[in-house]
Amino acid sequence: MLTNLFERSNCLLNQRNRHQLLATVLINIICISHGIGVGWVSPTLRKLQTLDSPLGVPLGVNEVSWVGSALGLGSVTGNILSGLFMHRIGGKMCLLFMALPHTCLWVLVYFAQSVEFLIVGRFLAGITGGGIYLIHPLFLSEISDPNIRGTLASMVMLSVNIGILLGYILGTHLAYHIVPFVVLIGPLSYFILVLLFIRDSPMHLIRKGKLEAAKKSFMYYKNIKISDSSIEQTRAANEFDNMRLTLTKDDNMPDTLCLKDFFTRAALKGYGMAAVIIIANQFSALFAMVNYMSDVFAQSGSKMDPNTSSIIIGSVQILGAYVSTIVCDVLGRKILMLISSAGVALCLTVFGFFTYYAGIYDMTEWSWVPVAIMSLDIFLGNIGLISCLFVLMVEMFPLKIRARATSIAIVICSSLVFLMLNIFPLCMAHWGLPATLWSCAGITAGCFIFFLLFLKETKGKSMLED
């Protein structure tokens, strides 16, 4: 029975899928490290706003908003750099580069003497994050089989969420200057492993005219060996030839891209859907609350320790992302996006009402409610709006413009990350937490209606299709 399970084409441990799984695990080490940097900020910002601040001076609201939002600004930079260089130097070199700014983040954190050190460090962390959210989905889509692509791509956010939980824990329980030494193990080991075990995708090598290297890469990621049966080798060779012909138009020369390719009917529909998905992803406030989770709980009326609440939420995030990796290629993308957007809108509305009445009445006996609501909100957000974002970004655009259109979409998403991380603490300070949550709930509900009417299912779609 176990042997039959491993032989199923959608099993990650199937012989054909093992090198794809190995590559996914290795490149996601930097995702865990990035998540630690994101999660660490939440409990650390509360320390930085006290008289016992590691910087010697407590930070104000404006300084906190810039420490938080610098990540988004760096993410935009990382998206642009990745989009410019990925087709020139290949996915492997871009993957290696991402270790550098992340390493610099922790060096700056250790030597920080003022808030400017942290702002620059967060900016560098954003460059790594921007690279992750663009390079990982594209790279994985080019090396993975259609029946496991959604699962492998969803592992990106699962890995980030594991890192976020570790960041919450490290930021809460370890001294400020100890954390950098612990976390630096991640990017250094990642660099070495990617250097040794990751190959450029066959699609990239075909575009560069390196057909022999492309075939070797294809056979490696499909785990086809010389000792395999002639039937398996012939089938793999036919798949490779189909990929080569699709990308080169029969003449072994890469298919050229022109301006009109960006204005086809399929491309325009992709832009519209991408815009709504990005709006839902960011204005649902899921990522903003991850960064400011301790402050959100401090204002929610809950008497539970904000940092402990954040750790609980971090655990729920991992559960949500894990569920998404299991069901993404089973139920499909659309049903997950519908459940996620509807659930998040409802949870934000209820959470807003609780915080509103907590300011009027004594809700001490109900202090568990904010944690319960936010746990449900984060869980539902991670099964769709968060985990499916990068899967859908890659799948909705036509083949010829896929990489560039995805790059542009992720740049816009990162710009909204910067905007939300900058204005979210200001909105909490000036509008109050309830009005901020209700605003996000209204936008998410509107996106749910759009998904219900217009989002098409892309499960099982070949990356050679438009």
Side-chain angles (χ1 to χ4, degrees), residues 26 29 92 96 188-198:
L26 294 183
I29 293 174
K92 179 174 180 175
L96 289 170
L188 296 177
S189 60
Y190 160 82
F191 184 89
I192 295 170
L193 291 170
V194 168
L195 185 65
L196 295 176
F197 296 107
I198 299 299

Side-chain angles (χ1 to χ4, degrees), residues 70-82 123 126-127 130 410-418:
L71 183 80
L73 200 58
S75 187
V76 174
T77 306
N79 296 152
I80 295 172
L81 290 175
S82 300
F123 176 81
I127 292 177
I410 299 299
V411 167
I412 294 171
C413 184
S414 296
S415 301
L416 292 182
V417 169
F418 169 71

Side-chain angles (χ1 to χ4, degrees), residues 422-461:
N422 195 285
I423 67 173
F424 195 79
L426 301 177
C427 289
M428 288 196 297
H430 296 293
W431 294 357
L433 185 57
T436 303
L437 296 175
W438 290 331
S439 300
C440 295
I443 295 172
T444 310
C447 293
F448 164 78
I449 296 172
F450 189 91
F451 295 149
L452 182 65
L453 297 176
F454 301 110
L455 181 62
K456 291 185 177 181
E457 183 56 67
T458 57
K459 182 182 71 171
K461 177 180 178 182

Side-chain angles (χ1 to χ4, degrees), residues 172-462:
T172 300
H173 298 291
L174 289 186
Y176 175 91
H177 289 96
I178 299 297
V179 175
F181 285 103
V182 175
V183 181
L184 276 173
I185 297 171
L188 296 177
S189 60
Y190 160 82
F191 184 89
I192 295 170
L193 291 170
V194 168
L195 185 65
L196 295 176
F197 296 107
I198 299 299
R199 303 185 184 189
D200 270 315
S201 75
M203 284 190 179
H204 168 74
L205 294 169
I206 290 172
R207 294 187 190 104
K208 290 298 180 182
K210 301 177 181 179
L211 297 183
E212 189 60 34
K215 188 169 185 178
K216 289 180 180 179
S217 173
F218 182 86
M219 295 300 181
Y220 171 77
Y221 284 118
K222 301 301 181 184
N223 200 16
I224 302 296
K225 304 180 180 69
I226 297 176
S227 58
D228 289 342
S229 68
S230 58
I231 296 175
E232 284 290 329
Q233 293 189 46
T234 302
R235 183 184 300 153
N238 290 337
E239 284 185 44
F240 176 77
D241 287 338
N242 181 46
M243 177 188 293
R244 177 181 58 80
L245 293 173
T246 302
L247 294 174
T248 61
K249 277 194 170 178
D250 300 334
D251 57 6
N252 287 342
M253 294 299 293
D255 195 4
T256 55
L257 184 67
C258 57
L259 186 61
K260 70 177 183 180
D261 293 322
F262 290 91
F263 295 97
T264 62
R265 181 179 179 85
L268 294 175
K269 290 173 67 176
Y271 301 149
M273 186 56 64
V276 178
I277 292 172
I278 289 169
I279 289 170
N281 177 269
Q282 286 305 312
F283 286 94
S284 60
L286 290 163
F287 189 68
M289 283 193 284
V290 165
N291 281 265
Y292 301 116
M293 189 66 71
S294 294
D295 287 334
V296 168
F297 278 118
Q299 294 187 34
S300 68
S302 173
K303 302 304 179 184
M304 292 181 65
D305 177 62
N307 293 333
T308 302
S309 300
S310 298
I311 292 172
I312 295 172
I313 297 299
S315 304
V316 173
Q317 274 194 150
I318 294 174
L319 178 61
Y322 178 68
V323 169
S324 181
T325 63
I326 294 174
V327 301
C328 189
D329 283 320
V330 177
L331 299 179
R333 287 57 157 156
K334 181 171 182 174
I335 187 66
L336 292 180
M337 293 294 285
L338 289 174
I339 294 172
S340 182
S341 54
V344 167
L346 180 61
C347 289
L348 290 174
T349 302
V350 174
F351 194 24
F353 276 113
F354 181 90
T355 55
Y356 176 78
Y357 286 111
I360 302 173
Y361 304 105
D362 181 12
M363 307 288 281
T364 304
E365 295 183 3
W366 301 88
S367 60
W368 55 270
V369 171
V371 178
I373 297 174
M374 282 308 299
S375 295
L376 183 60
D377 176 71
I378 294 296
F379 174 81
L380 292 171
N382 272 276
I383 67 172
L385 292 177
I386 299 295
S387 294
C388 290
L389 169 70
F390 304 109
V391 180
L392 286 168
M393 284 291 113
V394 173
E395 292 177 338
M396 69 178 54
F397 292 117
L399 174 62
K400 286 186 70 174
I401 67 166
R402 183 168 293 143
R404 289 171 176 81
T406 302
S407 301
I408 295 169
I410 299 299
V411 167
I412 294 171
C413 184
S414 296
S415 301
L416 292 182
V417 169
F418 169 71
L419 176 65
M420 282 299 292
L421 291 180
N422 195 285
I423 67 173
F424 195 79
L426 301 177
C427 289
M428 288 196 297
H430 296 293
W431 294 357
L433 185 57
T436 303
L437 296 175
W438 290 331
S439 300
C440 295
I443 295 172
T444 310
C447 293
F448 164 78
I449 296 172
F450 189 91
F451 295 149
L452 182 65
L453 297 176
F454 301 110
L455 181 62
K456 291 185 177 181
E457 183 56 67
T458 57
K459 182 182 71 171
K461 177 180 178 182
S462 169

Side-chain angles (χ1 to χ4, degrees), residues 136-147:
H136 279 54
L138 286 173
F139 183 78
L140 291 174
S141 72
E142 292 184 353
I143 69 167
S144 57
D145 286 354
N147 50 6

